[in-house]
Amino acid sequence: MSRLIVLSNRVKMPDNNPMAGGLAVALQDILTGNSVIWMGWNGDIFDSSDSGEINSFSNYKQAAIASPRMQGAHTEVTYMTTALTTRQYQHFYCGFANNVLWPMLHEQPELINQAQEDYAGYQDVNRLFAQQLKSIIQPDDVIWVHDYHFLSVAYHCKKLGIKNRIGFFLHIPFAPLAFWQRLAQSCELIKHLAHYDVLGTQTQQDKAHCLAVFQHYLKDSLLEDNVLEDSLAKNSLLDFLPINVLYSKQPVTRAHTASGTQLKLHLELKPQHALIINAYPIGVNVTKIQQQVSHVFSPLSLSSIKHIQNNDTVKPISQRIIAVDRIDYSKGLLERFSGYRDFLQQYPAYQNRLQLLQIACPSRLDLSTYQRLYKEVKQAVYNVNQQFSPNTDSWQAIDYSEEVLSHETVITAFCQSDIGWVNSLQDGMNLVAKEYIAAQNPDNPGVLMLSRYAGAAEQMQAAVIIDPHQPKSIIEGLKAALIMPLGERKSRYQALLQGLQQDNLHAWQQSFLDDLYLDNLYDNKKYQTDSDSPEAVQMSGS
């Protein structure tokens, strides 16, 4: 039986502890009920300098509830995790991943801070996980690697002789060529990325950036470029697939049907290699979110939620805005507070009537950039509240919380808020935008105010689209959202919800695996000989 092995930096263990970060939560949601191995870092750090210890992997297996399409098949999830050494944590995680790749891919090159050993440490950890994959791989297994921590894993797998299909999905933006060119290791990293069989981005724009970067760095390796039909058009191949418990033969309706692009490459480790590059916009589990909030579609106030319960003397708030973010410079928190302050100054009638609930999760505080940002965020909140509500026993302009909340608690807060505000300066997708819409009461939905720079904006044009770099755009967008009539709110909500239902979380999973599994067979049957190949288009080397 073909197994799916998933590799991500963090693994969400099957416990009740909330976890910040959409990637691990999303993966947990789709992997439940399927026989898979989920591999990654367990979050622990150990000092190997004294003991001489090396990384060891531990396994935890949990039986999973089979979904209806599984027809009673026995399934389980195996969690395979390891701790990182202090050195690995410093150079791989803090160093190259988050001090180099994260700012570069988010188009913030001025924040890149690379130590001499960071890149070697990054490659060491990518090689470590490739070696672990080699130790457990079976002939029919397929590997699905996630995010910027593991750009080089496929390359190291191929060097170790692994011939299995390997897919890669980037959850954050794929930066334009100009930003890759500022990084000395970019050429090697792109050559490593080319060893994947399927490379997925969040948006069509990211896909275009990816193709341009590959064309630049691999111009001497590119043989030809084929535009493929959408993978779902290959339904005739379904009966020949290896048995895979993750794959469903049930049709999936998708709004996103843009075709992928195949690059034929001459690589040192594989002279004739086919790489599929496509956009697979990640979604949310709409049904699950709607079930979580079905019991709270009532005029309850957010103050009834335990984690944000205010003093009993606080006067009722007329309208509430909610924002949920990690404290990261890509999220536009400082721009949000500044724009909100400007709005309250321009429209003083909203003072004492409007409140911004900011749920902010500190992260990466081992890095100086994040330490500085954390202090700036706290100071900005204090300044706004001091300006408009110096008496803390009365109305506060910003209700600020750093508590890591359960997913259900956050979803409940979404459905009880009048506006959901996503203010990203650069984002791969930003699932908060999609979760906010999924959580709304159809009879009285709130309004999504969405940054044009969030990946979600490519699909969610019925939101109130704003430019967080333009204070006037924020003010106008906020005013429009606050006064929007019920009929328009319902119309926008229905349009957005329809998109979420079509491009939901499981459709994202299946569309990627369609290409990872189906194109394996399609490649073997259709592209082995020139006579079987579709007409190719020569890619320019310039």
Side-chain angles (χ1 to χ4, degrees):
M1 177 179 289
S2 174
R3 301 179 302 175
L4 181 72
I5 304 174
V6 174
L7 171 61
S8 62
N9 179 58
R10 291 301 304 273
V11 174
K12 176 69 177 74
M13 298 298 290
D15 53 38
N16 294 322
N17 297 325
M19 181 176 182
L23 188 159
V25 174
L27 289 180
Q28 182 193 39
D29 203 20
I30 62 170
L31 297 183
T32 300
N34 300 291
S35 291
V36 299
I37 297 172
W38 190 358
M39 182 186 298
W41 175 37
N42 61 16
D44 293 335
I45 304 168
F46 70 95
D47 188 353
S48 62
S49 58
D50 298 327
S51 61
E53 292 184 42
I54 59 174
N55 300 86
S56 60
F57 285 78
S58 61
N59 292 354
Y60 175 81
K61 294 184 179 182
Q62 183 182 58
I65 300 174
S67 62
R69 72 174 186 266
M70 305 289 294
Q71 299 179 346
H74 172 71
T75 62
E76 66 181 13
V77 177
T78 300
Y79 300 87
M80 185 173 292
T81 62
T82 184
L84 295 180
T85 69
T86 305
R87 185 179 183 85
Q88 289 168 341
Y89 176 74
Q90 186 62 40
H91 295 297
F92 159 71
Y93 180 75
C94 294
F96 198 76
N98 288 317
N99 259 337
V100 179
L101 289 177
W102 180 272
M104 186 273 285
L105 291 168
H106 285 88
E107 302 181 22
Q108 298 270 4
E110 69 280 2
L111 297 178
I112 291 176
N113 181 18
Q114 184 172 181
Q116 184 175 358
E117 298 180 2
D118 287 348
Y119 185 66
Y122 181 84
Q123 292 300 329
D124 286 344
V125 172
N126 275 246
R127 189 180 302 108
L128 165 72
F129 281 100
Q131 290 167 342
Q132 182 63 17
L133 288 167
K134 173 70 173 177
S135 72
I136 66 168
I137 201 77
Q138 295 177 9
D140 291 333
D141 290 346
V142 170
I143 303 167
W144 190 3
V145 179
H146 290 263
D147 230 3
Y148 62 103
H149 309 86
F150 299 123
L151 301 183
S152 298
V153 162
Y155 168 76
H156 292 296
C157 285
K158 300 305 180 184
K159 283 194 72 175
L160 292 170
I162 295 176
K163 300 184 183 301
N164 303 60
R165 296 277 290 177
I166 309 178
F168 176 83
F169 185 78
L170 183 65
H171 290 257
I172 66 174
F174 200 106
L177 175 61
F179 295 92
W180 286 89
Q181 288 176 311
R182 299 192 183 198
L183 191 62
Q185 298 89 356
S186 287
C187 184
E188 183 170 277
L189 286 171
I190 295 301
K191 289 180 179 179
H192 287 181
L193 262 179
H195 287 79
Y196 285 99
D197 297 288
V198 178
L199 194 162
T201 64
Q202 292 277 26
T203 68
Q204 291 294 327
Q205 182 182 62
D206 288 331
K207 175 189 170 183
H209 292 160
C210 181
L211 288 170
V213 169
F214 269 67
Q215 181 172 344
H216 175 80
Y217 286 108
L218 299 176
K219 56 181 177 288
D220 295 331
S221 302
L222 284 166
L223 300 177
E224 51 192 16
D225 158 29
N226 299 314
V227 177
L228 300 181
E229 297 176 355
D230 184 72
S231 59
L232 289 181
K234 305 169 198 158
N235 289 334
S236 60
L237 299 175
L238 294 177
D239 294 336
F240 301 97
L241 285 173
I243 298 173
N244 166 37
V245 297
L246 264 180
Y247 185 81
S248 167
K249 294 187 180 182
Q250 298 176 353
V252 175
T253 302
R254 294 189 297 155
H256 177 75
T257 57
S259 60
T261 299
Q262 183 187 66
L263 302 183
K264 288 188 175 180
L265 300 161
H266 177 85
L267 303 177
E268 182 180 349
L269 299 179
K270 190 178 180 183
Q272 292 193 2
H273 176 64
L275 167 64
I276 303 299
I277 298 177
N278 204 359
Y280 308 86
I282 192 171
V284 296
N285 190 333
V286 178
T287 301
K288 178 181 178 181
I289 291 172
Q290 290 178 333
Q291 290 172 345
Q292 287 176 329
V293 298
S294 60
H295 64 289
V296 291
F297 287 153
S298 62
L300 301 174
S301 83
L302 282 176
S303 60
S304 65
I305 301 173
K306 182 177 179 181
H307 73 278
I308 53 171
Q309 188 167 8
N310 293 324
N311 189 292
D312 291 338
T313 61
V314 175
K315 298 178 180 179
I317 304 298
S318 298
Q319 290 175 288
R320 285 187 172 86
I321 309 165
I322 189 167
V324 180
D325 308 274
R326 278 190 316 105
I327 300 181
D328 189 278
Y329 47 81
S330 67
K331 303 301 182 182
L333 283 93
L334 298 178
E335 289 78 6
R336 173 185 292 130
F337 301 144
S338 177
Y340 182 56
R341 179 199 63 209
D342 293 343
F343 177 84
L344 291 176
Q345 287 176 331
Q346 185 166 330
Y347 296 101
Y350 281 95
Q351 296 176 26
N352 295 294
R353 294 175 48 208
L354 180 64
Q355 187 172 63
L356 167 62
L357 169 61
Q358 175 68 67
I359 299 173
C361 298
S363 67
R364 303 174 186 167
L365 291 179
D366 289 343
L367 306 182
S368 59
T369 301
Y370 287 84
Q371 295 170 5
R372 182 169 60 253
L373 177 62
Y374 176 68
K375 293 177 182 177
E376 291 173 347
V377 165
K378 297 276 283 186
Q379 186 64 48
V381 171
Y382 174 81
N383 290 344
V384 171
N385 281 338
Q386 280 295 107
Q387 179 175 349
F388 296 106
S389 47
N391 182 359
T392 56
D393 292 332
S394 63
W395 165 81
Q396 280 195 301
I398 301 176
D399 183 7
Y400 177 84
S401 172
E402 292 181 358
E403 187 177 353
V404 178
L405 307 169
S406 71
H407 187 255
E408 187 168 357
T409 300
V410 174
I411 294 301
T412 301
F414 284 159
C415 80
Q416 296 175 332
S417 299
D418 301 283
I419 297 173
W421 188 352
V422 172
N423 207 53
S424 308
L425 304 182
Q426 200 73 33
D427 234 331
M429 179 54 66
N430 196 297
L431 291 179
V432 167
K434 296 190 173 185
E435 289 178 332
Y436 177 80
I437 291 299
Q440 293 310 296
N441 181 351
D443 296 326
N444 187 27
V447 179
L448 174 62
M449 199 163 74
L450 179 60
S451 165
R452 59 178 293 190
Y453 304 112
E458 191 171 277
Q459 294 177 290
M460 304 182 78
Q461 286 294 303
V464 174
I465 305 296
I466 61 169
D467 186 338
H469 294 295
Q470 302 295 329
K472 182 179 178 182
S473 176
I474 291 177
I475 294 170
E476 291 177 350
L478 188 51
K479 183 64 185 298
L482 288 167
I483 66 173
M484 188 177 295
L486 178 60
E488 184 179 351
R489 285 191 278 124
K490 284 185 175 181
S491 176
R492 288 175 180 259
Y493 163 76
Q494 289 296 338
L496 292 168
L497 183 65
Q498 182 180 8
L500 297 189
Q501 290 170 332
Q502 291 177 325
D503 279 332
N504 61 38
L505 182 61
H506 290 274
W508 166 75
Q509 166 201 297
Q510 184 154 347
S511 64
F512 189 95
L513 294 181
D514 278 344
D515 287 345
L516 191 55
Y517 280 90
L518 283 174
D519 280 318
N520 182 30
L521 184 64
Y522 202 63
D523 183 66
N524 291 338
K525 287 184 174 292
K526 300 294 184 182
Y527 297 141
Q528 283 181 339
T529 66
D530 291 339
S531 60
D532 289 332
S533 298
E535 184 177 353
V537 178
Q538 188 69 33
M539 176 175 277
S540 168
S542 59

